[in-house]
mmCIF file of all heavy atoms in Angstrom:
data_model
loop_
_atom_site.group_PDB
_atom_site.id
_atom_site.type_symbol
_atom_site.label_atom_id
_atom_site.label_comp_id
_atom_site.label_asym_id
_atom_site.label_seq_id
_atom_site.Cartn_x
_atom_site.Cartn_y
_atom_site.Cartn_z
ATOM 1 N N LYS A 1 -2.743 -8.739 1.489
ATOM 2 C CA LYS A 1 -2.614 -9.071 0.075
ATOM 3 C C LYS A 1 -3.983 -9.028 -0.602
ATOM 4 O O LYS A 1 -4.987 -9.433 -0.034
ATOM 5 C CB LYS A 1 -2.009 -10.470 -0.085
ATOM 6 C CG LYS A 1 -1.796 -10.902 -1.536
ATOM 7 C CD LYS A 1 -1.349 -12.363 -1.631
ATOM 8 C CE LYS A 1 0.042 -12.552 -1.055
ATOM 9 N NZ LYS A 1 0.537 -13.944 -1.300
ATOM 10 N N ALA A 2 -4.005 -8.533 -1.851
ATOM 11 C CA ALA A 2 -5.241 -8.510 -2.640
ATOM 12 C C ALA A 2 -4.889 -8.471 -4.116
ATOM 13 O O ALA A 2 -3.811 -7.993 -4.506
ATOM 14 C CB ALA A 2 -6.113 -7.315 -2.265
ATOM 15 N N ARG A 3 -5.793 -8.956 -4.933
ATOM 16 C CA ARG A 3 -5.585 -8.986 -6.375
ATOM 17 C C ARG A 3 -5.696 -7.580 -6.962
ATOM 18 O O ARG A 3 -6.651 -6.853 -6.703
ATOM 19 C CB ARG A 3 -6.647 -9.885 -7.022
ATOM 20 C CG ARG A 3 -6.670 -9.906 -8.555
ATOM 21 C CD ARG A 3 -5.581 -10.779 -9.138
ATOM 22 N NE ARG A 3 -5.713 -10.850 -10.592
ATOM 23 C CZ ARG A 3 -6.479 -11.740 -11.228
ATOM 24 N NH1 ARG A 3 -7.182 -12.613 -10.539
ATOM 25 N NH2 ARG A 3 -6.531 -11.762 -12.549
ATOM 26 N N GLY A 4 -4.683 -7.180 -7.748
ATOM 27 C CA GLY A 4 -4.689 -5.877 -8.385
ATOM 28 C C GLY A 4 -4.891 -5.971 -9.878
ATOM 29 O O GLY A 4 -5.309 -7.007 -10.405
ATOM 30 N N HIS A 5 -4.572 -4.884 -10.583
ATOM 31 C CA HIS A 5 -4.767 -4.833 -12.031
ATOM 32 C C HIS A 5 -3.899 -5.849 -12.749
ATOM 33 O O HIS A 5 -4.356 -6.571 -13.635
ATOM 34 C CB HIS A 5 -4.437 -3.421 -12.531
ATOM 35 C CG HIS A 5 -4.566 -3.255 -14.012
ATOM 36 N ND1 HIS A 5 -3.563 -3.620 -14.874
ATOM 37 C CD2 HIS A 5 -5.569 -2.775 -14.771
ATOM 38 C CE1 HIS A 5 -3.951 -3.365 -16.116
ATOM 39 N NE2 HIS A 5 -5.157 -2.851 -16.084
ATOM 40 N N ASN A 6 -2.615 -5.917 -12.391
ATOM 41 C CA ASN A 6 -1.687 -6.800 -13.088
ATOM 42 C C ASN A 6 -1.188 -7.959 -12.237
ATOM 43 O O ASN A 6 -0.365 -8.748 -12.688
ATOM 44 C CB ASN A 6 -0.474 -5.988 -13.568
ATOM 45 C CG ASN A 6 -0.866 -4.904 -14.542
ATOM 46 O OD1 ASN A 6 -1.700 -5.120 -15.404
ATOM 47 N ND2 ASN A 6 -0.269 -3.727 -14.406
ATOM 48 N N GLY A 7 -1.665 -8.075 -11.020
ATOM 49 C CA GLY A 7 -1.219 -9.137 -10.113
ATOM 50 C C GLY A 7 -1.528 -8.760 -8.681
ATOM 51 O O GLY A 7 -2.321 -7.854 -8.420
ATOM 52 N N ASP A 8 -0.891 -9.440 -7.726
ATOM 53 C CA ASP A 8 -1.154 -9.177 -6.319
ATOM 54 C C ASP A 8 -0.504 -7.881 -5.855
ATOM 55 O O ASP A 8 0.635 -7.560 -6.211
ATOM 56 C CB ASP A 8 -0.638 -10.320 -5.451
ATOM 57 C CG ASP A 8 -1.504 -11.566 -5.569
ATOM 58 O OD1 ASP A 8 -2.706 -11.418 -5.905
ATOM 59 O OD2 ASP A 8 -0.996 -12.669 -5.321
ATOM 60 N N VAL A 9 -1.244 -7.140 -5.038
ATOM 61 C CA VAL A 9 -0.701 -5.983 -4.327
ATOM 62 C C VAL A 9 -0.456 -6.438 -2.897
ATOM 63 O O VAL A 9 -1.378 -6.898 -2.217
ATOM 64 C CB VAL A 9 -1.687 -4.797 -4.344
ATOM 65 C CG1 VAL A 9 -1.196 -3.688 -3.424
ATOM 66 C CG2 VAL A 9 -1.855 -4.273 -5.759
ATOM 67 N N VAL A 10 0.788 -6.351 -2.443
ATOM 68 C CA VAL A 10 1.162 -6.829 -1.112
ATOM 69 C C VAL A 10 1.707 -5.650 -0.296
ATOM 70 O O VAL A 10 2.577 -4.916 -0.772
ATOM 71 C CB VAL A 10 2.230 -7.944 -1.191
ATOM 72 C CG1 VAL A 10 2.516 -8.503 0.200
ATOM 73 C CG2 VAL A 10 1.780 -9.053 -2.133
ATOM 74 N N ILE A 11 1.173 -5.489 0.905
ATOM 75 C CA ILE A 11 1.616 -4.390 1.769
ATOM 76 C C ILE A 11 1.954 -4.911 3.154
ATOM 77 O O ILE A 11 1.481 -5.971 3.565
ATOM 78 C CB ILE A 11 0.544 -3.289 1.888
ATOM 79 C CG1 ILE A 11 -0.745 -3.861 2.490
ATOM 80 C CG2 ILE A 11 0.276 -2.642 0.543
ATOM 81 C CD1 ILE A 11 -1.822 -2.816 2.760
ATOM 82 N N ASP A 12 2.778 -4.166 3.867
ATOM 83 C CA ASP A 12 3.077 -4.423 5.269
ATOM 84 C C ASP A 12 2.411 -3.336 6.098
ATOM 85 O O ASP A 12 2.554 -2.146 5.796
ATOM 86 C CB ASP A 12 4.584 -4.408 5.534
ATOM 87 C CG ASP A 12 5.259 -5.710 5.132
ATOM 88 O OD1 ASP A 12 4.573 -6.755 5.129
ATOM 89 O OD2 ASP A 12 6.464 -5.672 4.808
ATOM 90 N N VAL A 13 1.683 -3.765 7.137
ATOM 91 C CA VAL A 13 0.984 -2.825 8.004
ATOM 92 C C VAL A 13 1.489 -3.000 9.438
ATOM 93 O O VAL A 13 1.330 -4.070 10.027
ATOM 94 C CB VAL A 13 -0.538 -3.030 7.952
ATOM 95 C CG1 VAL A 13 -1.242 -1.989 8.812
ATOM 96 C CG2 VAL A 13 -1.049 -2.961 6.516
ATOM 97 N N SER A 14 2.103 -1.950 9.977
ATOM 98 C CA SER A 14 2.631 -1.988 11.339
ATOM 99 C C SER A 14 1.609 -1.409 12.309
ATOM 100 O O SER A 14 1.040 -0.338 12.063
ATOM 101 C CB SER A 14 3.935 -1.184 11.428
ATOM 102 O OG SER A 14 4.913 -1.745 10.590
ATOM 103 N N PHE A 15 1.388 -2.128 13.430
ATOM 104 C CA PHE A 15 0.434 -1.698 14.454
ATOM 105 C C PHE A 15 1.162 -1.373 15.749
ATOM 106 O O PHE A 15 2.176 -2.001 16.091
ATOM 107 C CB PHE A 15 -0.589 -2.805 14.728
ATOM 108 C CG PHE A 15 -1.492 -3.108 13.570
ATOM 109 C CD1 PHE A 15 -1.082 -3.967 12.565
ATOM 110 C CD2 PHE A 15 -2.748 -2.535 13.486
ATOM 111 C CE1 PHE A 15 -1.908 -4.266 11.500
ATOM 112 C CE2 PHE A 15 -3.581 -2.815 12.424
ATOM 113 C CZ PHE A 15 -3.163 -3.683 11.419
ATOM 114 N N GLU A 16 0.631 -0.409 16.481
ATOM 115 C CA GLU A 16 1.149 -0.074 17.805
ATOM 116 C C GLU A 16 -0.026 0.278 18.700
ATOM 117 O O GLU A 16 -0.758 1.235 18.432
ATOM 118 C CB GLU A 16 2.127 1.092 17.711
ATOM 119 C CG GLU A 16 2.830 1.415 19.036
ATOM 120 C CD GLU A 16 3.901 2.471 18.858
ATOM 121 O OE1 GLU A 16 4.992 2.134 18.355
ATOM 122 O OE2 GLU A 16 3.628 3.639 19.196
ATOM 123 N N ASN A 17 -0.245 -0.549 19.721
ATOM 124 C CA ASN A 17 -1.359 -0.342 20.652
ATOM 125 C C ASN A 17 -2.698 -0.208 19.926
ATOM 126 O O ASN A 17 -3.441 0.767 20.103
ATOM 127 C CB ASN A 17 -1.108 0.884 21.542
ATOM 128 C CG ASN A 17 0.077 0.695 22.458
ATOM 129 O OD1 ASN A 17 0.340 -0.422 22.930
ATOM 130 N ND2 ASN A 17 0.813 1.763 22.705
ATOM 131 N N ASN A 18 -2.959 -1.183 19.061
ATOM 132 C CA ASN A 18 -4.246 -1.287 18.340
ATOM 133 C C ASN A 18 -4.438 -0.248 17.232
ATOM 134 O O ASN A 18 -5.520 -0.163 16.658
ATOM 135 C CB ASN A 18 -5.437 -1.181 19.299
ATOM 136 C CG ASN A 18 -5.445 -2.299 20.314
ATOM 137 O OD1 ASN A 18 -4.839 -3.347 20.104
ATOM 138 N ND2 ASN A 18 -6.121 -2.090 21.433
ATOM 139 N N LYS A 19 -3.403 0.533 16.971
ATOM 140 C CA LYS A 19 -3.531 1.547 15.939
ATOM 141 C C LYS A 19 -2.517 1.310 14.822
ATOM 142 O O LYS A 19 -1.419 0.816 15.077
ATOM 143 C CB LYS A 19 -3.323 2.942 16.534
ATOM 144 C CG LYS A 19 -4.410 3.358 17.515
ATOM 145 C CD LYS A 19 -4.170 4.768 18.025
ATOM 146 C CE LYS A 19 -5.272 5.199 18.978
ATOM 147 N NZ LYS A 19 -5.050 6.575 19.493
ATOM 148 N N ILE A 20 -2.918 1.682 13.606
ATOM 149 C CA ILE A 20 -2.003 1.552 12.479
ATOM 150 C C ILE A 20 -0.937 2.626 12.591
ATOM 151 O O ILE A 20 -1.234 3.828 12.634
ATOM 152 C CB ILE A 20 -2.756 1.689 11.138
ATOM 153 C CG1 ILE A 20 -3.719 0.514 10.944
ATOM 154 C CG2 ILE A 20 -1.775 1.760 9.973
ATOM 155 C CD1 ILE A 20 -4.561 0.596 9.707
ATOM 156 N N LYS A 21 0.305 2.194 12.649
ATOM 157 C CA LYS A 21 1.425 3.125 12.773
ATOM 158 C C LYS A 21 1.987 3.494 11.406
ATOM 159 O O LYS A 21 2.277 4.655 11.125
ATOM 160 C CB LYS A 21 2.527 2.506 13.630
ATOM 161 C CG LYS A 21 3.712 3.433 13.871
ATOM 162 C CD LYS A 21 4.765 2.759 14.741
ATOM 163 C CE LYS A 21 5.953 3.701 14.982
ATOM 164 N NZ LYS A 21 7.002 3.028 15.793
ATOM 165 N N LYS A 22 2.129 2.476 10.538
ATOM 166 C CA LYS A 22 2.721 2.734 9.221
ATOM 167 C C LYS A 22 2.322 1.658 8.231
ATOM 168 O O LYS A 22 2.245 0.490 8.569
ATOM 169 C CB LYS A 22 4.250 2.809 9.315
ATOM 170 C CG LYS A 22 4.944 3.166 8.009
ATOM 171 C CD LYS A 22 6.459 3.214 8.176
ATOM 172 C CE LYS A 22 7.123 3.563 6.848
ATOM 173 N NZ LYS A 22 8.608 3.571 6.968
ATOM 174 N N VAL A 23 2.076 2.097 6.981
ATOM 175 C CA VAL A 23 1.809 1.169 5.876
ATOM 176 C C VAL A 23 2.894 1.366 4.826
ATOM 177 O O VAL A 23 3.251 2.497 4.492
ATOM 178 C CB VAL A 23 0.423 1.432 5.244
ATOM 179 C CG1 VAL A 23 0.220 0.544 4.022
ATOM 180 C CG2 VAL A 23 -0.676 1.191 6.257
ATOM 181 N N SER A 24 3.426 0.261 4.326
ATOM 182 C CA SER A 24 4.436 0.356 3.264
ATOM 183 C C SER A 24 4.129 -0.658 2.177
ATOM 184 O O SER A 24 3.595 -1.736 2.444
ATOM 185 C CB SER A 24 5.844 0.123 3.833
ATOM 186 O OG SER A 24 5.920 -1.130 4.488
ATOM 187 N N LEU A 25 4.458 -0.307 0.948
ATOM 188 C CA LEU A 25 4.218 -1.176 -0.201
ATOM 189 C C LEU A 25 5.337 -2.206 -0.293
ATOM 190 O O LEU A 25 6.512 -1.861 -0.379
ATOM 191 C CB LEU A 25 4.150 -0.348 -1.490
ATOM 192 C CG LEU A 25 3.840 -1.100 -2.778
ATOM 193 C CD1 LEU A 25 2.478 -1.763 -2.711
ATOM 194 C CD2 LEU A 25 3.904 -0.142 -3.974
ATOM 195 N N LYS A 26 4.973 -3.465 -0.294
ATOM 196 C CA LYS A 26 5.943 -4.545 -0.323
ATOM 197 C C LYS A 26 6.118 -5.099 -1.734
ATOM 198 O O LYS A 26 7.226 -5.394 -2.171
ATOM 199 C CB LYS A 26 5.502 -5.658 0.629
ATOM 200 C CG LYS A 26 6.515 -6.777 0.838
ATOM 201 C CD LYS A 26 6.015 -7.749 1.903
ATOM 202 C CE LYS A 26 7.040 -8.837 2.175
ATOM 203 N NZ LYS A 26 6.543 -9.794 3.211
ATOM 204 N N GLU A 27 5.004 -5.228 -2.446
ATOM 205 C CA GLU A 27 5.061 -5.816 -3.784
ATOM 206 C C GLU A 27 3.892 -5.322 -4.622
ATOM 207 O O GLU A 27 2.761 -5.308 -4.170
ATOM 208 C CB GLU A 27 4.994 -7.348 -3.683
ATOM 209 C CG GLU A 27 5.046 -8.076 -5.004
ATOM 210 C CD GLU A 27 4.898 -9.582 -4.807
ATOM 211 O OE1 GLU A 27 5.302 -10.098 -3.742
ATOM 212 O OE2 GLU A 27 4.350 -10.221 -5.719
ATOM 213 N N SER A 28 4.201 -4.889 -5.858
ATOM 214 C CA SER A 28 3.140 -4.434 -6.764
ATOM 215 C C SER A 28 3.652 -4.421 -8.188
ATOM 216 O O SER A 28 4.786 -4.035 -8.446
ATOM 217 C CB SER A 28 2.661 -3.037 -6.387
ATOM 218 O OG SER A 28 1.782 -2.547 -7.369
ATOM 219 N N VAL A 29 2.801 -4.852 -9.109
ATOM 220 C CA VAL A 29 3.134 -4.786 -10.532
ATOM 221 C C VAL A 29 2.110 -3.902 -11.240
ATOM 222 O O VAL A 29 1.838 -4.056 -12.415
ATOM 223 C CB VAL A 29 3.176 -6.186 -11.180
ATOM 224 C CG1 VAL A 29 4.383 -6.957 -10.715
ATOM 225 C CG2 VAL A 29 1.902 -6.974 -10.886
ATOM 226 N N GLU A 30 1.534 -2.977 -10.469
ATOM 227 C CA GLU A 30 0.552 -2.084 -11.054
ATOM 228 C C GLU A 30 1.211 -1.097 -12.009
ATOM 229 O O GLU A 30 2.404 -0.805 -11.923
ATOM 230 C CB GLU A 30 -0.203 -1.319 -9.959
ATOM 231 C CG GLU A 30 -1.010 -2.232 -9.049
ATOM 232 C CD GLU A 30 -1.978 -3.108 -9.800
ATOM 233 O OE1 GLU A 30 -3.076 -2.654 -10.094
ATOM 234 O OE2 GLU A 30 -1.605 -4.257 -10.115
ATOM 235 N N THR A 31 0.429 -0.553 -12.928
ATOM 236 C CA THR A 31 0.931 0.385 -13.925
ATOM 237 C C THR A 31 1.638 1.546 -13.236
ATOM 238 O O THR A 31 1.096 2.170 -12.335
ATOM 239 C CB THR A 31 -0.227 0.927 -14.783
ATOM 240 O OG1 THR A 31 -0.964 -0.180 -15.299
ATOM 241 C CG2 THR A 31 0.303 1.742 -15.935
ATOM 242 N N GLU A 32 2.859 1.839 -13.700
ATOM 243 C CA GLU A 32 3.726 2.807 -13.031
ATOM 244 C C GLU A 32 3.064 4.164 -12.816
ATOM 245 O O GLU A 32 3.136 4.742 -11.746
ATOM 246 C CB GLU A 32 5.013 2.981 -13.855
ATOM 247 C CG GLU A 32 6.068 3.855 -13.192
ATOM 248 C CD GLU A 32 6.762 3.177 -12.026
ATOM 249 O OE1 GLU A 32 6.752 1.945 -11.972
ATOM 250 O OE2 GLU A 32 7.295 3.898 -11.169
ATOM 251 N N ASP A 33 2.390 4.680 -13.863
ATOM 252 C CA ASP A 33 1.910 6.057 -13.792
ATOM 253 C C ASP A 33 0.435 6.178 -13.450
ATOM 254 O O ASP A 33 -0.112 7.261 -13.474
ATOM 255 C CB ASP A 33 2.190 6.762 -15.116
ATOM 256 C CG ASP A 33 3.660 7.074 -15.271
ATOM 257 O OD1 ASP A 33 4.091 8.115 -14.768
ATOM 258 O OD2 ASP A 33 4.367 6.251 -15.868
ATOM 259 N N VAL A 34 -0.236 5.061 -13.163
ATOM 260 C CA VAL A 34 -1.637 5.141 -12.759
ATOM 261 C C VAL A 34 -1.835 4.361 -11.476
ATOM 262 O O VAL A 34 -2.005 4.923 -10.400
ATOM 263 C CB VAL A 34 -2.572 4.595 -13.867
ATOM 264 C CG1 VAL A 34 -4.020 4.716 -13.413
ATOM 265 C CG2 VAL A 34 -2.381 5.360 -15.150
ATOM 266 N N GLY A 35 -1.804 3.033 -11.577
ATOM 267 C CA GLY A 35 -2.076 2.198 -10.421
ATOM 268 C C GLY A 35 -1.115 2.395 -9.269
ATOM 269 O O GLY A 35 -1.510 2.563 -8.124
ATOM 270 N N LYS A 36 0.174 2.408 -9.581
ATOM 271 C CA LYS A 36 1.171 2.529 -8.516
ATOM 272 C C LYS A 36 1.097 3.899 -7.851
ATOM 273 O O LYS A 36 1.221 4.023 -6.631
ATOM 274 C CB LYS A 36 2.570 2.282 -9.074
ATOM 275 C CG LYS A 36 3.612 2.024 -7.984
ATOM 276 C CD LYS A 36 4.917 1.554 -8.577
ATOM 277 C CE LYS A 36 5.930 1.272 -7.463
ATOM 278 N NZ LYS A 36 7.237 0.844 -8.015
ATOM 279 N N LEU A 37 0.890 4.933 -8.656
ATOM 280 C CA LEU A 37 0.759 6.275 -8.090
ATOM 281 C C LEU A 37 -0.471 6.372 -7.198
ATOM 282 O O LEU A 37 -0.452 7.033 -6.164
ATOM 283 C CB LEU A 37 0.679 7.313 -9.210
ATOM 284 C CG LEU A 37 1.985 7.639 -9.942
ATOM 285 C CD1 LEU A 37 1.719 8.599 -11.083
ATOM 286 C CD2 LEU A 37 3.016 8.223 -8.990
ATOM 287 N N ALA A 38 -1.558 5.701 -7.613
ATOM 288 C CA ALA A 38 -2.780 5.701 -6.808
ATOM 289 C C ALA A 38 -2.533 5.030 -5.461
ATOM 290 O O ALA A 38 -2.969 5.517 -4.418
ATOM 291 C CB ALA A 38 -3.896 4.984 -7.554
ATOM 292 N N ILE A 39 -1.815 3.902 -5.485
ATOM 293 C CA ILE A 39 -1.504 3.180 -4.241
ATOM 294 C C ILE A 39 -0.640 4.044 -3.332
ATOM 295 O O ILE A 39 -0.870 4.131 -2.119
ATOM 296 C CB ILE A 39 -0.810 1.846 -4.561
ATOM 297 C CG1 ILE A 39 -1.810 0.884 -5.212
ATOM 298 C CG2 ILE A 39 -0.224 1.218 -3.293
ATOM 299 C CD1 ILE A 39 -1.194 -0.391 -5.726
ATOM 300 N N GLU A 40 0.365 4.694 -3.912
ATOM 301 C CA GLU A 40 1.231 5.559 -3.116
ATOM 302 C C GLU A 40 0.452 6.715 -2.490
ATOM 303 O O GLU A 40 0.714 7.119 -1.350
ATOM 304 C CB GLU A 40 2.368 6.088 -3.993
ATOM 305 C CG GLU A 40 3.373 5.006 -4.364
ATOM 306 C CD GLU A 40 4.391 5.474 -5.396
ATOM 307 O OE1 GLU A 40 4.252 6.615 -5.892
ATOM 308 O OE2 GLU A 40 5.309 4.703 -5.698
ATOM 309 N N LYS A 41 -0.519 7.224 -3.237
ATOM 310 C CA LYS A 41 -1.360 8.303 -2.731
ATOM 311 C C LYS A 41 -2.188 7.820 -1.546
ATOM 312 O O LYS A 41 -2.331 8.534 -0.535
ATOM 313 C CB LYS A 41 -2.271 8.799 -3.853
ATOM 314 C CG LYS A 41 -3.185 9.954 -3.459
ATOM 315 C CD LYS A 41 -4.006 10.417 -4.647
ATOM 316 C CE LYS A 41 -4.925 11.570 -4.255
ATOM 317 N NZ LYS A 41 -5.740 12.027 -5.422
ATOM 318 N N LEU A 42 -2.730 6.614 -1.644
ATOM 319 C CA LEU A 42 -3.542 6.055 -0.560
ATOM 320 C C LEU A 42 -2.688 5.724 0.662
ATOM 321 O O LEU A 42 -3.123 5.914 1.805
ATOM 322 C CB LEU A 42 -4.284 4.812 -1.056
ATOM 323 C CG LEU A 42 -5.405 5.085 -2.079
ATOM 324 C CD1 LEU A 42 -5.893 3.784 -2.696
ATOM 325 C CD2 LEU A 42 -6.562 5.829 -1.414
ATOM 326 N N ILE A 43 -1.479 5.243 0.427
ATOM 327 C CA ILE A 43 -0.562 4.956 1.538
ATOM 328 C C ILE A 43 -0.240 6.238 2.304
ATOM 329 O O ILE A 43 -0.248 6.270 3.545
ATOM 330 C CB ILE A 43 0.735 4.299 1.022
ATOM 331 C CG1 ILE A 43 0.463 2.847 0.599
ATOM 332 C CG2 ILE A 43 1.834 4.331 2.092
ATOM 333 C CD1 ILE A 43 1.658 2.150 -0.017
ATOM 334 N N GLU A 44 0.031 7.292 1.554
ATOM 335 C CA GLU A 44 0.314 8.592 2.182
ATOM 336 C C GLU A 44 -0.872 9.056 3.027
ATOM 337 O O GLU A 44 -0.698 9.599 4.125
ATOM 338 C CB GLU A 44 0.627 9.617 1.091
ATOM 339 C CG GLU A 44 1.001 10.992 1.628
ATOM 340 C CD GLU A 44 1.332 11.956 0.500
ATOM 341 O OE1 GLU A 44 1.391 11.521 -0.655
ATOM 342 O OE2 GLU A 44 1.525 13.145 0.799
ATOM 343 N N LYS A 45 -2.075 8.794 2.535
ATOM 344 C CA LYS A 45 -3.283 9.197 3.241
ATOM 345 C C LYS A 45 -3.422 8.431 4.557
ATOM 346 O O LYS A 45 -3.694 9.019 5.615
ATOM 347 C CB LYS A 45 -4.493 8.941 2.346
ATOM 348 C CG LYS A 45 -5.760 9.653 2.773
ATOM 349 C CD LYS A 45 -6.845 9.521 1.705
ATOM 350 C CE LYS A 45 -8.062 10.347 2.093
ATOM 351 N NZ LYS A 45 -9.143 10.231 1.085
ATOM 352 N N VAL A 46 -3.220 7.107 4.498
ATOM 353 C CA VAL A 46 -3.334 6.280 5.708
ATOM 354 C C VAL A 46 -2.269 6.664 6.725
ATOM 355 O O VAL A 46 -2.546 6.784 7.924
ATOM 356 C CB VAL A 46 -3.219 4.781 5.345
ATOM 357 C CG1 VAL A 46 -3.132 3.938 6.620
ATOM 358 C CG2 VAL A 46 -4.423 4.342 4.519
ATOM 359 N N ASN A 47 -1.038 6.860 6.250
ATOM 360 C CA ASN A 47 0.055 7.200 7.157
ATOM 361 C C ASN A 47 -0.123 8.566 7.816
ATOM 362 O O ASN A 47 0.516 8.869 8.821
ATOM 363 C CB ASN A 47 1.391 7.138 6.422
ATOM 364 C CG ASN A 47 1.827 5.707 6.133
ATOM 365 O OD1 ASN A 47 1.369 4.769 6.801
ATOM 366 N ND2 ASN A 47 2.686 5.524 5.153
ATOM 367 N N SER A 48 -0.999 9.379 7.244
ATOM 368 C CA SER A 48 -1.303 10.678 7.853
ATOM 369 C C SER A 48 -2.464 10.576 8.839
ATOM 370 O O SER A 48 -2.855 11.565 9.455
ATOM 371 C CB SER A 48 -1.635 11.703 6.770
ATOM 372 O OG SER A 48 -2.881 11.420 6.170
#
């Protein structure tokens, strides 16, 4: 959890054998076409 533009950004991070397996967005009130898209872009990057 961390403070975002409009409130808290909350994510779930799954680990497997000390490595990040998957990140998913749990809660966000970031701006639909800027902040949220940026978060989704970063999630895609981590999951890759």
Side-chain angles (χ1 to χ4, degrees):
K1 182 187 293 187
R3 173 78 176 273
H5 179 277
N6 298 319
D8 287 335
V9 171
V10 185
I11 60 175
D12 280 334
V13 183
S14 298
F15 294 84
E16 186 174 283
N17 295 326
N18 298 339
K19 294 182 179 180
I20 294 176
K21 183 179 180 182
K22 184 180 180 182
V23 175
S24 57
L25 183 61
K26 188 175 183 180
E27 180 183 330
S28 172
V29 288
E30 297 305 276
T31 307
E32 186 73 22
D33 287 275
V34 181
K36 195 170 181 182
L37 285 176
I39 290 173
E40 289 172 355
K41 181 178 180 180
L42 291 169
I43 287 176
E44 183 179 353
K45 196 171 185 181
V46 172
N47 287 338
S48 70

